[in-house]
Amino acid sequence: MRETISFVVNGEHYSKNIDVRLSLLELLREEGLTSVKHGCGVGECGACTVLIDNTPIDSCMYLAVWVDGKTIRTVEGEIKDGKISQVQQSYIDAGAVQCGYCTPGFIMTSTAFVEKHKGQNVDRDEIRKEHAGNLCRCTGYETIICAVESCLKD
Amino acid sequence: MSVGIAVERKDALAKVSGRAKFTEDFSVKGLKHAVYVRSTIAHGRVIKIDTQKAREIEGVRAIFTYEDVPKNLFATAGHPYAIDRAAADVADRLMLTQDIRLEGDEIAIVVADTELIAHRAAAQVEVEYEPYAALVTPEAILAPDARKIHPGGNVVGAHSYEVGGEIKTAEKEAEIVLEGEYSTAMVQHCHLENHIAYAYMEDGDNIIIVSSTQIPHISRRIVSEAINFPLGNIKVVKPFIGGGFGAKQDVIIEPIVAFLTMKMNGTPVQLNLSREETIATTRTRHPFYGKAKGGMTREGELKFLDLDVVSVTGAYASHGHSIAIAGGSKTCTMYPRAVIRYNAKTIYANMPCAGAMRAYGTPQVVFITECLMEDMARKAGIDPLDFRIKNVGLPGDTNPYNKQKILTHGLQECLIKGRELFDWDGKKAAYVDKKTGVIRSGIGVACFSYASGTYPGNVEIASCRLILNPDGSVHVHVGATEIGQGSDTAFAQMAAETTGINYADVKVISTQDTDYTPFDTGAYASRQTYVNGQAVYKAAVELREKILSYAEKVTGQAKEALTIAGDRVVYHAQPETMLITLRDLATDSYYHKNRGGQITSEVSFKTQTNAPSFGCTFVAVDVDIELCKVTIKQIINVHDSGKIINPMTAKGQVHGGMFMSIGAALFEELLVDETSGRIYNNNLLDYKFPTITDMPDLDCAFVETDEPTSSYGVKSLGEPPTISPAPAIRNAILDATGVAPDRLPMSPKNLFEQFKQAGLI
């Protein structure tokens, strides 16, 4: 079965006739947004995290048809006028990037977190709690927390 | 200056922007998808296989079974070829097998238009087995009447040695002797990118494999051996890879994709393992069962260590007994003045296959050693830190195992520095009255040593090619692979440092392609900055010399008076006076009609040294007796990895290693049913590697010795951080509770048994 849906990805409008079984992960990757990574396919690792109406969601277990009328953000769209976002820059500066496979998903979770808590006094436990859906096997998370902290401060 | 500073990673922008392309991110027209048919039992033999129903499914393009693959056994371990064939890895594998040795063994493979169709068809392949009893515990595997898992028997390898004197004599001199049994669990790498590869053919008889591998050149050789195809006609391409930690230092899926495309007229075929397949059917860390005995004087002089270990390699040898050999040798560098006996055996089992994993057997043997050291110190009533400080090696000591003089040995310095940073003595005093009640506090320390490569066990070869581009920038070609650890960045820093060219103008070609990438054996053994760093240095010296010689030709100034400063050639004595920009010099070299040529340098280099690296962990824990739960209050690793090339990426390696060891200490265990061989937790929900909420703040420090055998004073760093946290945590739990955990992980489930036995609950 197929269905036609309309949605916005990184500011671009899309109208697509899709197989209703398609996951959002598959749809985005087919559109060339390969920052959205497949790590487990069942919502365990968070490598496929994107923002749907500014909420971090595991796109691997989110049906593509559900994004009809919604707005999606991925790391590709966080670059504005050739300049990476504050969160992207903070990941680089804090040394929070290693193999890079979890990085796009983590950055999207952090982006939502920073937008929500900008200017607030947030402790490390709260950062941890709201990043608990993303797994990283390289960094031990220490520098990721540092990156988020630095965004909240600036 | 480019070395020793925290410059930005070369690949950071690509990775935060989503531009970094991993194996799954390339689009290949007409790509077909392969899915294995896997055994549902752990031990047995296929007596009938029927693929008819599966073949009838629309979209299925081919099915191959164990009957269709070449019958030459091959070894998968990512080691260099051993000219001495007696030292070759154990060849015990076929691409598809009739003999089942683990749950999920590969019997057949389906190729279809989509992964979904291939999965459906794989489920329709009918298989009948003759089942055998699964052999999982060492007792069952080594029983005299146990079925042979492989024709050669159940022992993969064994060795023993006694160095630094005689145990018999040392035992007589020891006033305190202690025995213990300690074991470690089977854990899995859990790199975020699963194993994935695809292959296709082009221009006649050439197979191209794109793979998430740590070892492209080795992969090419092993594919050649497995499918009987000329090595020179195979090309392996390694793009960005989403972590490996040793699981991709094994040639696991490259042979089968090469075989499939060869059989299917060059059709591109991809195999993208699921998380469940990656966890249970690729590679794991060998569980070790250790019996240990040690002796010391009352004053705290360590007299001997006597270790007897069994390492379980699972269904196939993979790296086999090499793990136990490498793991054991490190104890001799830690405590080189003691008599050390090491007796090790590696056995098969009907469970997931173990291979290389970060620090290669050393976390297991060091866990056993550092538990024993702790228990001895406590028995003698000596501060465990003082005991270690007194007995660890010192610069100038000779390693009794390989008879090499240890030139830089910063372990004692690490322990002393850690004592201060952690406030060991202050905490010890403060925690004295925190040993009762529900929440108890303790501190622990453990140390380790590691190596900076595999020499003399294996050849250590590395190569580097530098090219001066027409715009004055430099390209670096290395076979050493970036797998997240930051090696490309380190090599760029090294090349910039030695040539004098700006770091920003040095680009490391991150994708290896065996058709043009110079030979290197790849990312393992924490060898790359140490071994390949020397090739980069030599190539950079040569390039600098060639640039200055050409500058002399162009400007007429004697090259001895010249040097390179960033993007230009200047006078040594007057660095502010520019003679010629590198851009103009390079353009001249390429395009002047009567002189010059492309300025390049290329070095292939073998090192015959192997510097030991050192470090330790200090940790403070709270133990909730009722919940059997350990909370890390503070943890710090202190490392002697020689000179640090990039403090930011170095710190990242230490954090990551600490995290893996904390996982192994408190949470992680791949559970296998002892009767059926069934794997219980082959997914990230049930295999609990720590989330961000499980992790404490991580801290680290360095003691920078200057290793004379390497070009920039460096020693290994990638793997070492994952060795000492687990035993340090164990020792802290002992300090807090008086109960000495003897096996990993120290999860609530396992601690409950021990606390109950000790009468705490």
Side-chain angles (χ1 to χ4, degrees):
Chain A
M1 209 169 79
R2 300 185 76 83
E3 213 169 284
T4 299
I5 57 169
S6 298
F7 53 95
V8 174
V9 184
N10 300 332
E12 300 278 332
H13 289 268
Y14 287 78
S15 184
K16 301 232 89 139
N17 182 258
I18 58 161
D19 186 320
V20 294
R21 299 171 300 178
L22 209 62
S23 72
L24 179 59
L25 167 73
E26 291 164 318
L27 174 66
L28 293 172
R29 290 185 58 83
E30 277 175 20
E31 290 304 319
L33 296 159
T34 53
S35 75
V36 189
K37 297 294 184 217
H38 177 267
C40 67
V42 288
E44 291 163 353
C45 76
C48 64
T49 304
V50 300
L51 301 190
I52 301 178
D53 291 343
N54 297 322
T55 301
I57 299 284
D58 289 329
S59 63
C60 72
M61 51 178 207
Y62 192 96
L63 282 178
V65 289
W66 294 342
V67 296
D68 191 26
K70 294 189 165 69
T71 297
I72 300 157
R73 289 165 66 188
T74 71
V75 287
E76 285 93 339
E78 295 303 297
I79 306 165
K80 305 272 158 62
D81 302 324
K83 200 170 169 285
I84 57 174
S85 73
Q86 184 200 18
V87 175
Q88 287 169 315
Q89 188 63 51
S90 75
Y91 268 64
I92 295 177
D93 296 343
V97 179
Q98 288 194 30
C99 85
Y101 203 78
C102 76
T103 307
F106 249 111
I107 285 177
M108 294 322 292
T109 299
S110 296
T111 299
F113 183 85
V114 168
E115 286 172 1
K116 189 167 136 194
H117 295 285
K118 192 82 188 171
Q120 293 172 11
N121 207 359
V122 175
D123 67 11
R124 289 191 141 217
D125 281 347
E126 192 150 356
I127 296 172
R128 286 192 169 98
K129 203 174 130 200
E130 293 198 34
H131 286 76
N134 293 76
L135 294 176
C136 169
R137 194 57 158 165
C138 293
T139 62
Y141 308 107
E142 176 66 31
T143 47
I144 292 175
I145 298 172
C146 293
V148 176
E149 281 181 324
S150 77
C151 289
L152 293 169
K153 269 183 218 143
D154 294 346
Chain B
M1 201 183 83
S2 301
V3 155
I5 50 176
V7 294
E8 182 179 313
R9 280 181 76 107
K10 283 289 177 190
D11 52 4
L13 181 61
K15 287 173 176 175
V16 300
S17 64
R19 290 175 198 152
K21 294 275 182 252
F22 296 76
T23 301
E24 199 183 356
D25 299 338
F26 299 94
S27 34
V28 181
K29 287 216 183 329
L31 185 68
K32 305 295 179 204
H33 300 265
V35 167
Y36 278 120
V37 177
R38 294 185 178 278
S39 72
T40 53
I41 62 168
H43 198 192
R45 188 173 166 84
V46 177
I47 50 172
K48 197 179 160 200
I49 184 161
D50 187 349
T51 59
Q52 195 48 43
K53 261 194 225 164
R55 283 181 201 277
E56 286 164 7
I57 295 173
E58 197 184 326
V60 170
R61 300 296 161 190
I63 299 179
F64 299 92
T65 74
Y66 55 83
E67 287 166 352
D68 304 314
V69 296
K71 296 294 178 283
N72 53 317
L73 291 163
F74 64 99
T76 63
H79 288 140
Y81 180 80
I83 290 178
D84 170 12
R85 295 315 285 156
D89 290 303
V90 178
D92 62 2
R93 219 181 234 279
L94 300 172
M95 278 183 282
L96 299 169
T97 181
Q98 184 174 10
D99 291 301
I100 307 305
R101 299 184 173 98
L102 79 152
E103 184 193 31
D105 218 343
E106 290 123 17
I107 302 168
I109 194 157
V110 176
V111 182
D113 292 349
T114 69
E115 247 179 55
L116 186 62
I117 295 169
H119 273 291
R120 282 191 173 156
Q124 292 295 315
V125 173
E126 291 168 1
V127 184
E128 275 179 43
Y129 304 97
E130 179 190 354
Y132 312 140
L135 301 171
V136 174
T137 63
E139 296 73 39
I141 297 157
L142 294 172
D145 59 344
R147 177 179 277 275
K148 288 178 181 173
I149 296 171
H150 285 268
N154 292 343
V155 176
V156 180
H159 78 301
S160 61
Y161 53 79
E162 192 169 332
V163 296
E166 286 189 344
I167 289 279
K168 225 194 299 177
T169 320
E171 208 163 353
K172 276 185 205 144
E173 288 165 10
E175 293 156 314
I176 296 167
V177 173
L178 193 88
E179 287 181 65
E181 291 193 18
Y182 314 95
S183 63
T184 63
M186 179 165 55
V187 297
Q188 216 268 330
H189 313 67
C190 296
H191 33 76
L192 261 278
E193 181 198 30
N194 291 306
H195 285 77
I196 177 171
Y198 64 86
Y200 58 96
M201 294 180 79
E202 66 177 21
D203 56 358
D205 255 357
N206 289 297
I207 295 178
I208 290 87
I209 305 165
V210 179
S211 176
S212 179
T213 177
Q214 299 172 219
I215 46 166
H217 278 286
I218 290 178
S219 181
R220 177 173 67 156
R221 171 178 60 80
I222 293 177
V223 169
S224 163
E225 291 168 1
I227 67 168
N228 302 319
F229 201 82
L231 180 143
N233 289 33
I234 298 170
K235 147 164 137 167
V236 176
V237 177
K238 178 240 144 219
F240 281 102
I241 110 166
F245 311 112
K248 295 172 184 170
Q249 191 213 338
D250 224 303
V251 182
I252 299 176
I253 58 173
E254 293 90 343
I256 193 81
V257 289
F259 171 78
L260 292 173
T261 194
M262 187 174 71
K263 284 285 179 188
M264 296 175 72
N265 280 334
T267 299
V269 180
Q270 177 172 284
L271 181 58
N272 187 3
L273 296 191
S274 68
R275 175 58 59 188
E276 290 75 10
E277 288 176 297
T278 293
I279 290 181
T281 69
T282 62
R283 298 293 178 267
T284 65
R285 188 188 286 289
H286 293 69
F288 270 50
Y289 298 84
K291 287 182 184 156
K293 190 174 179 182
M296 63 191 283
T297 65
R298 279 194 196 90
E299 284 70 45
E301 189 195 340
L302 179 68
K303 299 306 290 187
F304 75 93
L305 291 168
D306 190 2
L307 310 176
D308 189 295
V309 307
V310 173
S311 164
V312 184
T313 200
Y316 294 93
S318 173
H319 286 251
H321 193 58
S322 307
I323 302 281
I325 295 172
S329 66
K330 312 304 189 316
T331 302
C332 303
T333 343
M334 281 161 78
Y335 302 114
R337 298 186 299 278
V339 179
I340 294 175
R341 183 158 68 186
Y342 184 65
N343 186 28
K345 187 184 284 174
T346 299
I347 59 174
Y348 285 120
N350 293 122
M351 48 193 231
C353 174
M357 184 170 174
R358 200 174 194 169
Y360 209 80
T362 310
Q364 296 97 310
V365 181
V366 165
F367 181 76
I368 294 163
T369 304
E370 288 299 276
C371 285
L372 180 71
M373 286 293 288
E374 184 75 17
D375 296 351
M376 285 166 66
R378 285 175 183 274
K379 188 171 176 188
I382 294 173
D383 180 278
L385 176 57
D386 287 336
F387 182 46
R388 287 178 173 85
I389 288 173
K390 189 180 169 96
N391 288 294
V392 293
L394 296 166
D397 277 347
T398 296
N399 177 345
Y401 176 66
N402 62 12
K403 311 285 183 277
Q404 296 288 310
K405 197 169 170 188
I406 304 164
L407 302 174
T408 54
H409 200 312
L411 184 48
Q412 193 181 63
E413 220 182 309
C414 287
L415 288 165
I416 292 166
K417 186 169 185 170
R419 169 175 236 151
E420 204 171 298
L421 291 171
F422 180 77
D423 187 21
W424 173 268
D425 299 290
K427 280 198 176 68
K428 194 176 168 184
Y431 284 11
V432 165
D433 56 0
K434 291 185 176 176
K435 312 294 184 196
T436 54
V438 176
I439 311 287
R440 302 181 189 185
S441 306
I443 53 173
V445 62
C447 44
F448 74 86
S449 83
Y450 201 62
S452 300
T454 62
Y455 188 81
N458 286 302
V459 66
E460 277 298 356
I461 178 170
S463 311
C464 175
R465 180 190 302 134
L466 299 177
I467 298 168
L468 183 67
N469 292 316
D471 65 353
S473 67
V474 170
H475 274 187
V476 182
H477 293 195
V478 287
T481 54
E482 169 66 62
I483 65 167
Q485 80 286 49
S487 61
D488 282 356
T489 302
F491 298 143
Q493 288 181 261
M494 291 172 176
E497 174 83 16
T498 302
T499 57
I501 296 169
N502 288 329
Y503 170 73
D505 295 330
V506 178
K507 176 179 171 181
V508 179
I509 308 305
S510 197
T511 295
Q512 275 75 29
D513 174 328
T514 54
D515 271 5
Y516 70 76
T517 299
F519 189 84
D520 182 289
T521 50
Y524 57 85
S526 293
R527 57 182 289 280
Q528 295 195 150
T529 48
Y530 182 78
V531 180
N532 194 59
Q534 300 182 60
V536 173
Y537 173 75
K538 289 178 196 319
V541 167
E542 192 183 318
L543 188 80
R544 183 176 183 279
E545 165 65 24
K546 284 181 172 173
I547 290 171
L548 293 180
S549 294
Y550 199 69
E552 179 178 297
K553 208 175 274 181
V554 175
T555 66
Q557 303 295 317
K559 68 177 180 188
E560 290 73 21
L562 308 180
T563 191
I564 300 171
D567 62 351
R568 59 196 58 192
V569 177
V570 299
Y571 289 109
H572 253 307
Q574 288 169 279
E576 65 284 356
T577 309
M578 183 185 76
L579 248 82
I580 185 169
T581 63
L582 287 178
R583 178 188 286 269
D584 288 345
L585 180 142
T587 305
D588 191 283
S589 77
Y590 278 90
Y591 299 114
H592 193 287
K593 286 178 186 165
N594 304 316
R595 68 181 177 208
Q598 188 181 37
I599 297 179
T600 66
S601 66
E602 181 153 358
V603 168
S604 184
F605 169 76
K606 289 181 183 175
T607 184
Q608 285 162 293
T609 58
N610 186 351
S613 64
F614 304 94
C616 55
T617 303
F618 288 81
V619 64
V621 302
D622 278 358
V623 183
D624 185 321
I625 302 293
E626 289 178 353
L627 294 178
C628 303
K629 197 176 169 203
V630 178
T631 305
I632 294 172
K633 307 301 285 183
Q634 190 188 348
I635 186 162
I636 176 167
N637 262 30
V638 188
H639 287 263
D640 163 21
S641 286
K643 291 286 178 194
I644 299 301
I645 300 295
N646 184 322
M648 182 169 73
T649 52
K651 202 169 70 176
Q653 286 306 291
V654 179
H655 291 159
M658 292 169 79
F659 152 77
M660 277 194 161
S661 188
I662 290 170
L666 300 178
F667 308 103
E668 295 179 38
E669 182 175 21
L670 193 53
L671 293 163
V672 179
D673 187 276
E674 288 191 359
T675 316
S676 65
R678 175 136 294 178
I679 300 144
Y680 288 127
N681 54 343
N682 64 353
N683 59 77
L684 295 173
L685 190 64
D686 299 318
Y687 180 86
K688 299 207 174 293
F689 89 65
T691 72
I692 196 168
T693 56
D694 300 311
M695 284 300 292
D697 294 346
L698 301 172
D699 201 1
C700 68
F702 297 97
V703 163
E704 292 195 51
T705 56
D706 191 355
E707 173 59 37
T709 62
S710 71
S711 297
Y712 300 89
V714 300
K715 301 195 282 186
S716 63
L717 180 58
E719 294 164 278
T722 209
I723 303 171
S724 54
I729 293 166
R730 180 267 183 190
N731 296 339
I733 296 171
L734 168 59
D735 184 54
T737 64
V739 178
D742 55 7
R743 67 184 158 121
L744 295 178
M746 296 168 291
S747 56
K749 177 174 76 94
N750 288 344
L751 285 182
F752 173 75
E753 283 171 23
Q754 294 223 284
F755 287 174
K756 204 171 168 200
Q757 211 175 352
L760 292 187
I761 39 177

